[in-house]
Amino acid sequence: GSGMRLEIEKARFDNNDLAGEAEGRIELPTGAKPRLDLRAHLSHGEARAVYRYLPFGVGEHTYDWVKHSVIGGHSDDTRLVLKGDLAHFPFDRGGGEFKVTVKMVDGLLAYAEGWPRISGVNGMLVFHDKAMTLTADSGRLLGARLGPVRAHIDDLHSGLEETLLIDGRASGDTQTFLDFIRQSPVNEHTGGLTTKIHASGPGELALNLRLPLRRIEQSSLGGVFSLERNRIDLGGDLPDLEQLSGRFSFTESSVQARNLQTHVLGLPATLAFDSQSGGQVHARMQGSVTADMLKPHLPDALARRIAGATDWRADVRLGKQQHEVQVTSDLVGLSLSLPSPLRKNAAQAIPLTISRHPGELHDSTIKASYGNLASLRAELPVDGPPRIALRLSQGEAPAPRNAGISVTGALRYLDLDAWRSIDPGPAASSGASLQEINLSLNEFKVAGRLLHDTHLRAQPTGSGWQVALAGRELGGELLTLPGTRGTRVIANFKRLTLPEAAPDALPGEAGVSAEQTLAELEINARHFTWKGLDLGEMHLRLSPDKTGYTLDHVSLAMPEGRLEGKGQVSRHPRRPTRLDLKLEAADLGKL
């Protein structure tokens, strides 16, 4: 009438799932819950069968999670303690003890659908009272080494909110952790941003996962990733980040970092970034750069003319498909010994901004501004030649219409002789060539003479240039043609006033004489004025020789008569200039 009692002494059991022995007693009182005092030791157990031996009362979702998640591994040491009145099971409030410890070897844990599995788990799986805890000393997540890792379910029995918490550390190649993001639900939250990123170098991860077993789609994570001297390829045409070191934190939908150290294009920089809505990441870099660091990235003509050092800042917006980049600097500390208007000394602050914007069909636009002195806009299609507009004045460069380079603007002063002294070096690999110049100039130095209020328009024709000039001293056109010994110039003016010789250069600027490269000059002017004298129609042709120029022909047709001749124009201090002139007066005949 009082029930039944069963004593168990060294009972052995063996099946496909486990093998071992148990001892203890079972009391089955009439009208009451059983009372147990059992101990078991298993010398063999299969991890994938653990779910079959969970005690009655474990929540349905927890039971299913253990069944579908602990799918591999074995144990040679499993111990069970079950003691107390089952009316108080699972004894989280006292009245007994329930504990199962499983020494897991080479376990395989599929902890959540859609997340990469954890393999090679070596550690302890413990069911104690109403909780479950897996403590792994080692394991592998993709190619990364795990350990230690702790997986914990606080309440196996209530069935209201079974939540799996995973805390762990891992070390391995940074690329492995990028693969982890790509193969997890985090990839969708970040807009697939990491799919184009590739990394080389080591990293360490501290990870926290929260997995609601009833609503696995609401899983969340947080972590900190540390890396040392990595190389990161951001994809597209962005430069690689080299020697990247530091740490950043992340959640399932956000990422941020401060004070990462890196090199970009060989320049040391500090990097910070934050994720934004729509799968974008806003990165900010800053650093300082010396002229010697810049020179390998510049054309020779510019590299020879910079000195000093300056600070810079870059803002990069990384998107799913395309990236936006903006680089800024005030250029303080950097000197630029170019002719005006681009010349600057080290103390001057001239804001420089360079930005790259994605366009349609993966084309891109580059914009640049140099204070209020110059601006540039370049359209760079994937297929076809670039279109580049340069504006030499205040305001933004217009959208370029045609292939090649066009130059427009208005300048107070332009020394063409000084600019002609600069050898631009080999043509750029982009294939862009100068196609149009359209400038208004208050003062314009050319061939050693200073012109005023001049409008210049130039376009290539054949292998030379056709130039239209209109200003205070002249109006007409000239044609330049390359020759074996220099440049041939043919000028046709409606009017031409020969100005006084200009200073060699502005202070600090090196000039050059046009004679150094002039092969042949032909000038035709309908109205020619010199030193206030109207000399009528003028024709002149000269070509270079060893000591200067040969004056092949010169003629002036004035109302008072006609002057014709030829001669030798010397540039040698010991050889005089010789001219042979004939004057035919209108009323005196030949002289």
Side-chain angles (χ1 to χ4, degrees):
S2 61
M4 215 169 94
R5 176 172 176 164
L6 178 64
E7 296 284 346
I8 303 173
E9 294 184 4
K10 299 292 184 182
R12 296 191 60 82
F13 45 90
D14 192 347
N15 59 33
N16 292 333
D17 296 333
L18 49 84
E21 58 184 26
E23 62 181 355
R25 68 175 183 272
I26 302 174
E27 297 181 7
L28 304 172
T30 303
K33 292 279 188 179
R35 292 189 295 270
L36 289 79
D37 186 358
L38 295 176
R39 288 172 176 78
H41 178 219
L42 309 182
S43 58
H44 172 73
E46 294 294 328
R48 63 178 178 272
V50 168
Y51 75 95
R52 296 179 182 173
Y53 301 94
L54 292 178
F56 180 78
V58 168
E60 177 184 353
H61 289 86
T62 301
Y63 177 88
D64 288 341
W65 180 84
V66 175
K67 178 179 180 180
H68 294 104
S69 298
V70 184
I71 58 176
H74 64 276
S75 173
D76 57 6
D77 186 6
T78 299
R79 299 177 186 271
L80 165 69
V81 175
L82 180 56
K83 181 180 180 180
D85 190 333
L86 292 188
H88 303 295
F89 186 83
F91 310 122
D92 55 302
R93 297 183 180 180
E97 181 181 3
F98 167 65
K99 187 174 185 180
V100 178
T101 59
V102 181
K103 182 180 179 182
M104 185 176 291
V105 178
D106 199 23
L108 181 60
L109 189 64
Y111 50 91
E113 184 178 356
W115 295 78
R117 296 177 175 181
I118 298 176
S119 62
V121 177
N122 297 299
M124 297 297 294
L125 176 62
V126 178
F127 296 88
H128 188 205
D129 296 339
K130 64 177 183 178
M132 183 207 78
T133 303
L134 171 63
T135 303
D137 298 322
S138 63
R140 299 196 70 82
L141 178 65
L142 299 178
R145 299 180 301 277
L146 289 176
V149 175
R150 182 177 185 270
H152 180 74
I153 298 176
D154 188 60
D155 189 349
L156 295 165
H157 296 267
S158 68
L160 298 176
E161 184 65 35
E162 305 100 331
T163 300
L164 172 66
L165 303 176
I166 298 179
D167 301 309
R169 302 187 69 86
S171 60
D173 294 334
T174 299
Q175 186 62 44
T176 298
F177 298 109
L178 293 177
D179 294 340
F180 169 77
I181 294 174
R182 282 193 280 267
Q183 296 180 37
S184 74
V186 179
N187 191 57
E188 181 180 352
H189 286 295
T190 60
L193 181 64
T194 61
T195 56
K196 292 185 177 182
I197 298 177
H198 298 278
S200 59
E204 293 187 358
L205 174 68
L207 181 67
N208 308 102
L209 275 170
R210 184 180 185 276
L211 306 169
L213 301 183
R214 288 173 175 259
R215 301 184 301 279
I216 200 69
E217 71 281 356
Q218 297 181 14
S219 300
S220 60
L221 85 159
V224 175
F225 186 71
S226 303
L227 64 172
E228 183 70 24
R229 299 180 68 84
N230 274 229
R231 183 185 184 96
I232 308 294
D233 177 2
L234 297 172
D237 54 3
L238 291 177
D240 290 351
L241 300 177
E242 300 176 336
Q243 302 181 45
L244 180 63
S245 300
R247 53 189 289 173
F248 62 87
S249 59
F250 59 90
T251 68
E252 73 281 355
S253 59
S254 66
V255 61
Q256 66 175 5
R258 299 289 182 272
N259 202 36
L260 293 171
Q261 303 300 310
T262 188
H263 283 73
V264 57
L265 296 176
L267 307 179
T270 300
L271 170 65
F273 59 81
D274 297 277
S275 61
Q276 298 180 332
S277 60
Q280 271 200 345
V281 171
H282 179 202
R284 301 169 300 282
M285 285 188 289
Q286 60 184 20
S288 60
V289 59
T290 67
D292 288 339
M293 293 176 182
L294 285 174
K295 286 178 180 180
H297 309 287
L298 299 174
D300 289 344
L302 183 55
R304 292 192 298 267
R305 290 169 171 80
I306 62 171
T310 192
D311 294 333
W312 60 273
R313 175 186 173 92
D315 286 270
V316 184
R317 297 189 182 275
L318 303 172
K320 298 178 184 178
Q321 302 294 331
Q322 298 172 318
H323 312 308
E324 294 184 8
V325 182
Q326 184 177 76
V327 180
T328 58
S329 174
D330 61 10
L331 299 181
V332 171
L334 198 70
S335 64
L336 193 59
S337 57
L338 285 171
S340 297
L342 302 185
R343 177 179 176 81
K344 78 172 289 292
N345 60 45
Q348 283 180 291
I350 299 181
L352 173 69
T353 301
I354 303 172
S355 60
R356 177 187 180 276
H357 306 270
E360 297 180 359
L361 302 177
H362 303 290
D363 295 2
S364 61
T365 299
I366 292 179
K367 296 181 179 181
S369 62
Y370 181 70
N372 59 5
L373 303 173
S375 62
L376 177 142
R377 176 166 176 160
E379 305 285 351
L380 305 176
V382 174
D383 298 316
R387 304 184 300 273
I388 302 172
L390 174 63
R391 179 184 176 93
L392 298 176
S393 58
Q394 190 172 2
E396 187 173 334
R401 295 169 298 175
N402 302 314
I405 303 171
S406 62
V407 181
T408 62
L411 295 174
R412 184 190 63 80
Y413 180 82
L414 178 64
D415 186 343
L416 185 60
D417 294 341
W419 279 103
R420 288 180 64 240
S421 70
I422 297 176
D423 180 8
S429 59
S430 65
S433 57
L434 188 58
Q435 295 297 315
E436 181 184 16
I437 300 175
N438 196 334
L439 294 172
S440 296
L441 307 165
N442 294 114
E443 294 183 332
F444 180 34
K445 183 185 175 186
V446 57
R449 305 283 173 170
L450 192 61
L451 305 177
H452 299 84
D453 301 330
T454 305
H455 181 79
L456 178 151
R457 182 167 186 174
Q459 292 178 313
T461 175
S463 55
W465 283 83
Q466 184 174 3
V467 182
L469 293 163
R472 187 190 305 176
E473 289 85 5
L474 49 72
E477 295 184 349
L478 60 87
L479 181 67
T480 68
L481 299 171
T484 57
R485 295 185 298 173
T487 302
R488 181 185 178 193
V489 179
I490 301 174
N492 296 295
F493 295 111
K494 294 180 181 179
R495 56 184 178 82
L496 172 62
T497 299
L498 188 64
E500 297 293 332
D504 288 341
L506 288 179
E509 291 187 346
V512 63
S513 171
E515 297 176 357
Q516 292 177 344
T517 57
L518 186 65
E520 185 176 333
L521 175 63
E522 181 179 332
I523 300 177
N524 303 295
R526 190 177 303 173
H527 299 283
F528 177 58
T529 302
W530 181 45
K531 292 188 177 182
L533 299 175
D534 183 1
L535 301 180
E537 185 174 343
M538 185 266 284
H539 299 274
L540 178 147
R541 186 173 67 249
L542 56 81
S543 56
D545 61 18
K546 294 181 179 180
T547 61
Y549 286 92
T550 298
L551 183 60
D552 299 307
H553 171 77
V554 63
S555 67
L556 291 171
M558 301 172 286
E560 296 81 3
R562 181 179 182 85
L563 177 69
E564 292 186 3
K566 57 184 179 178
Q568 191 73 29
V569 179
S570 176
R571 290 188 298 166
H572 195 283
R574 297 183 181 179
R575 295 183 182 179
T577 294
R578 297 190 302 271
L579 299 177
D580 182 9
L581 301 176
K582 295 180 180 179
L583 177 61
E584 182 178 348
D587 54 353
L588 297 177
K590 290 185 179 180
L591 295 177

